[in-house]
Amino acid sequence: MSYQTPRGTYDILPDESGKWQELEQIIRDQCRLYRYKEIRTPYFEDTSVFARKNDSSDMVNKEMYTFTMGTDSYTLRPEGTAGVIRAFDQHKLYGSMEMPARFYYMGAMFRHERPQKGRQRQFTQFGVENIGVKSPEIDAETIALGIDIVKAMGISSIKVSINTLGDDESRQAYRDALKAYFEPHIDTLCADCRRRIVQNPLRILDCKVDHDNPVVKDAPRLSDYLNEESKAYFERVLAALDAMGIAYEVDDRLVRGLDYYTHTVFEVISTHPESGSQATIFGGGRYDHLVDYFGGPQMSGIGFAIGMERLLILAGAEGHRAPEDDGTDVYVIGLGDVSAEVLKTAEEIRHAGFTAEANLMQRSLKSQFKSADRSRASYIVIMGEDEIRNGTVNVKNTKTKSQETIARNQLIDKLKEWNI
Ligand code: HAM
């Protein structure tokens, strides 16, 4: 039998890890500029952290990896926001941190979805949460951070879609209107949407099955149910984006797939021809009720999460290349039974801060030189029994092809002098 990764998961092989490390570094650099600090929460939480009362999202109802241990039910995190807010409340960070509190996280998330390009069952998100201050300008600043990261990865074909779900009053008025509108058409809707009419009719607008159903297309628009306060808030978000020169499209059908959003919601979508069906690079929005849900005070927050696999696929499609491995500084070769000395020399080189590979296979000189070539060594140190006896080493500069014999105890100083 041959063993394989489970469906919807994948290995990142050494050839590919460079691009991940580059992305992680870009994320860390950008978060530092915006003064976000990293938070790391567990990969599984009590199921109740994600399955909150009467949640209507597909993520919670269909896609969670839930398991029981004894009488406890746990779930592999399908997203990062809930865990961050749980931690914010558990550690009473609302009392000790300067507001707004700014967090970022990176790591694996798990959703039992149908795998395809850009959609896995284990995937990696980078996300941020900005908690404690409700301000339209913060909404715009949060979007700007996400866009800066996408651009830093060389992705320029993007579209920012934005909408508002309004405050509680506006959303309730809209839900009532949708319910009244859809009820007479219930027979034309899919089985899930029939449940959604009762639980959360907003979800119908996001249904993949009923996407082209004319009944759904003609449904009342949320913008007609916004109260003045919600409209004014949204206008300020748009004005702040204008002030930063960030182009956007208002899409009043954008409701997002998760239940906790209030006011601003947004998605950044790739418009590159290769982006395929999974074109949403990141999505997020404001939430007014999560902090108090987990036992903290009434505080609003906003955040987004980027699918890092999608970002890397799109960066590649737009021609971005990760820096390649630049080879080893030094490759140490031994002639004869001198492996212990080769090893010791390589250790000294590493302790001086240079990268070094030691050939410990006692092969022919020719084959060791070939290996040094494949490792793209800048210098090759050659040690035979004679050299060891005389306290010398031969050093070859692979660029100039010149070779010289130097005292072994001078090797580190020489490497420093050559400035590799
Ligand atoms: P989300 O829209 O569910 O939001 O996911 C955010 C991003 O994660 C998506 O736009 C996509 O790039 C990526 N993603 C989601 N599912 C998959 C998958 N199965 N395979 C690959 N990539 C995927 C959230 O998760 C919210 N927590 C965002 C947020 C933070 N809202 C407020 N704060």
Side-chain angles (χ1 to χ4, degrees):
M1 141 171 207
S2 73
Y3 293 95
Q4 304 274 328
T5 48
R7 212 164 113 74
T9 70
Y10 62 95
D11 300 309
I12 298 171
L13 301 177
D15 259 1
E16 297 153 327
S17 51
K19 65 181 184 188
W20 280 90
Q21 287 167 358
E22 185 203 23
L23 173 57
E24 286 157 9
Q25 194 54 49
I26 284 176
I27 286 172
R28 291 189 196 288
D29 290 345
Q30 291 295 328
C31 284
R32 197 180 62 80
L33 295 178
Y34 281 78
R35 302 280 294 153
Y36 276 72
K37 295 260 164 66
E38 187 178 12
I39 183 165
R40 301 185 188 202
T41 62
Y43 278 55
F44 64 92
E45 300 265 2
D46 274 335
T47 299
S48 57
V49 169
F50 306 113
R52 294 179 300 275
K53 55 170 191 254
N54 200 24
D55 193 293
S56 67
S57 67
D58 280 359
M59 185 188 81
V60 169
N61 287 290
K62 296 186 185 170
E63 297 166 359
M64 296 212 303
Y65 284 91
T66 295
F67 56 99
T68 48
M69 297 297 278
T71 55
D72 297 318
S73 174
Y74 299 111
T75 295
L76 297 182
R77 61 183 192 186
E79 59 120 25
T81 311
V84 172
I85 309 298
R86 193 262 316 127
F88 183 74
D89 284 352
Q90 179 178 333
H91 304 286
K92 299 192 171 45
L93 299 181
Y94 45 80
S96 59
M97 285 182 79
E98 198 58 41
M99 295 293 131
R102 303 183 201 94
F103 303 97
Y104 79 92
Y105 50 88
M106 268 189 270
M109 307 288 160
F110 306 86
R111 296 184 194 177
H112 194 265
E113 296 194 80
R114 198 169 48 79
Q116 51 181 277
K117 188 180 172 198
R119 198 208 277 165
Q120 298 81 29
R121 290 179 172 172
Q122 177 179 325
F123 60 101
T124 321
Q125 273 188 351
F126 152 69
V128 304
E129 309 300 338
N130 181 312
I131 311 170
V133 178
K134 187 166 175 179
S135 137
E137 288 73 29
I138 287 184
D139 298 16
E141 183 191 48
T142 309
I143 296 171
L145 164 57
I147 292 176
D148 278 356
I149 289 170
V150 170
K151 293 217 163 129
M153 286 298 289
I155 297 171
S156 52
S157 314
I158 54 168
K159 186 178 92 185
V160 180
S161 268
I162 188 163
N163 191 21
T164 178
L165 301 181
D167 61 7
D168 296 346
E169 185 189 84
S170 307
R171 245 180 2 273
Q172 193 51 52
Y174 184 51
R175 266 200 210 111
D176 293 345
L178 281 180
K179 211 167 160 194
Y181 169 81
F182 280 123
E183 256 161 8
H185 303 290
I186 195 159
D187 294 344
T188 72
L189 298 174
C190 75
D192 279 328
C193 284
R194 285 180 214 155
R195 169 179 57 83
R196 289 169 180 145
I197 288 190
V198 187
Q199 211 184 357
N200 183 3
L202 246 78
R203 275 281 85 76
I204 299 175
L205 305 177
D206 205 29
C207 176
K208 285 164 198 108
V209 180
D210 275 329
H211 187 255
D212 293 323
N213 183 338
V215 172
V216 175
K217 283 189 168 162
D218 294 340
R221 324 293 297 186
L222 176 57
S223 42
D224 294 330
Y225 293 83
L226 293 174
N227 58 22
E228 288 311 312
E229 228 179 299
S230 301
K231 272 190 209 157
Y233 186 96
F234 191 47
E235 271 156 24
R236 277 186 57 174
V237 176
L238 301 184
L241 290 173
D242 289 337
M244 286 188 290
I246 294 176
Y248 55 82
E249 278 174 27
V250 175
D251 171 2
D252 77 348
R253 282 299 153 115
L254 179 69
V255 290
R256 306 261 307 125
L258 306 177
D259 267 8
Y260 46 65
Y261 294 116
T262 51
H263 288 283
T264 316
V265 287
F266 53 89
E267 282 184 352
V268 171
I269 296 151
S270 167
T271 53
H272 192 274
E274 272 183 51
S275 65
S277 60
Q278 303 303 308
T280 308
I281 309 172
F282 72 87
R286 183 161 281 285
Y287 41 85
D288 283 344
H289 300 297
L290 276 180
V291 179
D292 54 300
Y293 183 89
F294 286 112
Q298 209 295 309
M299 262 186 182
S300 183
I302 181 162
F304 67 78
I306 294 184
M308 289 170 67
E309 287 82 3
R310 287 186 196 179
L311 191 65
L312 286 172
I313 293 172
L314 293 166
E318 292 212 23
H320 181 78
R321 294 287 162 264
E324 285 191 13
D325 170 29
D326 47 9
T328 185
D329 294 329
V330 184
Y331 195 97
V332 191
I333 282 175
L335 277 180
D337 189 10
V338 294
S339 285
E341 290 297 327
V342 168
L343 175 65
K344 198 174 131 199
T345 305
E347 279 293 275
E348 282 168 19
I349 295 169
R350 291 172 191 136
H351 292 167
F354 301 103
T355 57
E357 285 184 47
N359 192 310
L360 302 172
M361 292 182 288
Q362 303 194 354
R363 294 248 168 94
S364 72
L365 197 57
K366 195 172 161 204
S367 114
Q368 295 195 63
F369 267 106
K370 266 196 188 146
S371 302
D373 198 37
R374 278 195 292 272
S375 292
R376 288 191 282 131
S378 301
Y379 287 86
I380 303 173
V381 169
I382 308 124
M383 311 177 65
E385 281 158 9
D386 286 349
E387 283 80 13
I388 290 165
R389 218 174 301 116
N390 301 335
T392 59
V393 286
N394 291 317
V395 186
K396 181 174 177 184
N397 178 329
T398 59
K399 267 189 212 88
T400 62
K401 311 271 183 237
S402 64
Q403 188 165 324
E404 59 182 297
T405 304
I406 58 171
R408 186 170 163 183
N409 59 13
Q410 289 288 298
L411 177 61
I412 300 298
D413 286 343
K414 283 282 186 192
L415 291 176
K416 286 183 182 157
E417 190 184 308
W418 292 328
N419 204 12
I420 51 175

